[in-house]
Amino acid sequence: MNIKKLGVNASYFYADPLVKAVRRIIKCGFRRIEFTGLSLTSLSDSDLKELGTLLKHENAECVSINTAGELVPINLGNLAMLHRREREKAVSHVKQCIDFAVELGCQRVVCDLGMSTEEKGTFSFDEEQERYLSSCRQIIEHASACKVTVVLMNVPGARWKVWEGLPPDKVSVVERHVPPWRLWPDEKELIEKTSNSLNNSIRWAFDTANTVVAHGADKFDVIDTISLYLKHGLEIVYLANHPGLYNKVWHRLLLHQPLWQEGFYTAGDYASLFTKLTEARFNGEIILQIRDEEPSEESLLKNINLL
């Protein structure tokens, strides 16, 4: 794989100031870089200008802005929250990320600010979904005016359905040992209804590590799973391995391990994935979204060697 065609999230070098992290990524040979909205909000105006100048000078490109990154902080609010102020706070943050995209010449914003599990049981899943769609419509209106594409991320942990009593379908159960049972909604129905409700004005991101979580302890066919997203407008594929079963590793900051580390996926899985994307004439972005305990240029490039 040509390293210049592969993107990487700048948060890989999370301990470095953002501009320094980007310099290290560019030194490795990458030219397609994704930023998290949180990292950009911490920059001063002069830092943001320096970042834009660096990208231009190195012939690099901001290909996407992920509104929250791997973990959604509570202070960002929530697009589906019961409380209006929390929804407004989340919408405001996404709009700010869209403005950052315009400033950096980027055409995509990945939106992952859905519901957490804390309020479950107080309202129905359908009510939560309607609030989420209402927030998305506000975001889409702003993005459309800015000529930025909104890309939705379907994230496990954000879209649970609580089931009282014995679960009807054990395949769908992710946490079997802690009642009330948390069920992953029907993925096909959720993707289709969301796309249709928003008049197909959004695109989708597919995260290989999060997909392991969505399917719990059961082995699944990644090709069948991604085909659903291709059908409804796949824009970004995030590559990361996962250390094992969801019940063993539940925290999202621990999900996105390097591709070369032993985990759920093998090199053969990635090869099959690329074959499928080629057959589907996928022309979106493929982005490394990984975390290392000790990030280094050597470890980052090992992912390229595997691919």
Side-chain angles (χ1 to χ4, degrees):
M1 171 171 281
N2 185 340
I3 190 172
K4 292 185 179 180
K5 293 183 178 180
L6 183 68
V8 62
N9 191 292
S11 65
Y12 175 74
F13 291 114
Y14 57 86
D16 289 339
L18 186 58
V19 173
K20 180 180 179 181
V22 172
R23 291 186 188 278
R24 294 179 71 180
I25 287 170
I26 290 174
K27 186 178 179 180
C28 288
F30 291 94
R31 290 299 182 273
R32 307 183 73 76
I33 303 173
E34 179 183 72
F35 298 100
T36 64
L38 283 175
S39 66
L40 294 175
T41 56
S42 65
L43 294 183
S44 65
D45 290 343
S46 60
D47 288 338
L48 188 62
K49 185 176 180 179
E50 181 184 1
L51 177 61
T53 300
L54 173 63
L55 293 174
K56 185 175 181 180
H57 181 264
E58 296 291 346
N59 197 27
E61 181 181 354
C62 171
V63 295
S64 174
I65 293 177
N66 192 315
T67 56
E70 294 170 310
L71 187 65
V72 181
I74 295 174
N75 64 356
L76 284 186
N78 196 296
L79 295 176
M81 188 68 79
L82 183 62
H83 305 292
R84 179 176 55 82
R85 288 184 180 179
E86 294 301 311
R87 297 197 304 274
E88 290 175 347
K89 190 188 303 182
V91 169
S92 177
H93 173 70
V94 179
K95 287 182 176 179
Q96 184 181 24
C97 290
I98 293 170
D99 294 338
F100 282 136
V102 172
E103 189 158 356
L104 292 174
C106 174
Q107 297 181 336
R108 303 178 185 89
V109 167
V110 181
C111 190
D112 167 19
L113 290 170
M115 194 60 206
S116 66
T117 60
E118 277 69 30
E119 288 195 28
K120 295 298 185 183
T122 61
F123 47 81
S124 72
F125 180 82
D126 290 338
E127 289 173 330
E128 172 188 303
Q129 181 69 356
E130 280 305 312
R131 290 195 297 271
Y132 179 72
L133 292 173
S134 176
S135 297
C136 285
R137 291 184 183 102
Q138 296 176 58
I139 291 165
I140 291 168
E141 182 179 4
H142 183 67
S144 178
C146 296
K147 298 183 179 180
V148 172
T149 298
V150 175
V151 183
L152 297 185
M153 175 87 80
N154 191 17
V155 178
R159 312 305 294 172
W160 299 130
K161 295 173 79 171
V162 170
W163 186 270
E164 298 294 344
L166 294 176
D169 178 7
K170 290 185 178 181
V171 174
S172 298
V173 177
V174 179
E175 291 188 352
R176 295 183 170 88
H177 61 293
V178 181
W181 306 98
R182 293 174 176 175
L183 307 186
W184 180 242
D186 183 282
E187 195 169 18
K188 181 175 184 293
E189 180 182 357
L190 184 62
I191 298 300
E192 288 181 350
K193 282 189 174 181
T194 301
S195 292
N196 292 337
S197 297
L198 297 174
N199 298 318
N200 297 308
S201 58
I202 49 87
R203 306 281 288 176
W204 290 97
F206 181 87
D207 187 312
T208 54
N210 280 335
T211 300
V212 178
V213 180
H215 292 80
D218 302 288
K219 184 66 177 176
F220 63 96
D221 189 330
V222 69
I223 303 305
D224 287 343
T225 308
I226 201 170
S227 295
L228 169 65
Y229 292 84
L230 284 165
K231 179 181 177 182
H232 290 280
L234 183 62
E235 186 74 14
I236 295 177
V237 175
Y238 288 109
L239 294 183
N241 210 336
H242 185 283
L245 305 182
Y246 176 79
N247 289 342
K248 291 183 179 179
V249 182
W250 61 268
H251 199 294
R252 289 182 61 197
L253 286 178
L254 303 178
L255 293 180
H256 296 81
Q257 71 177 28
L259 309 184
W260 53 265
Q261 287 186 0
E262 183 178 355
F264 193 89
Y265 293 106
T266 65
D269 290 321
Y270 297 118
S272 297
L273 180 62
F274 291 146
T275 298
K276 177 64 178 180
L277 293 174
T278 301
E279 292 173 349
R281 297 183 179 181
F282 173 72
N283 61 357
E285 295 293 331
I286 299 177
I287 298 175
L288 286 174
Q289 170 72 294
I290 54 178
R291 297 281 287 194
D292 253 336
E293 291 184 7
E294 298 182 5
S296 68
E297 285 82 352
E298 293 76 16
S299 179
L300 184 56
L301 289 173
K302 283 178 70 174
N303 295 282
I304 305 302
N305 295 334
L306 180 143
L307 294 177

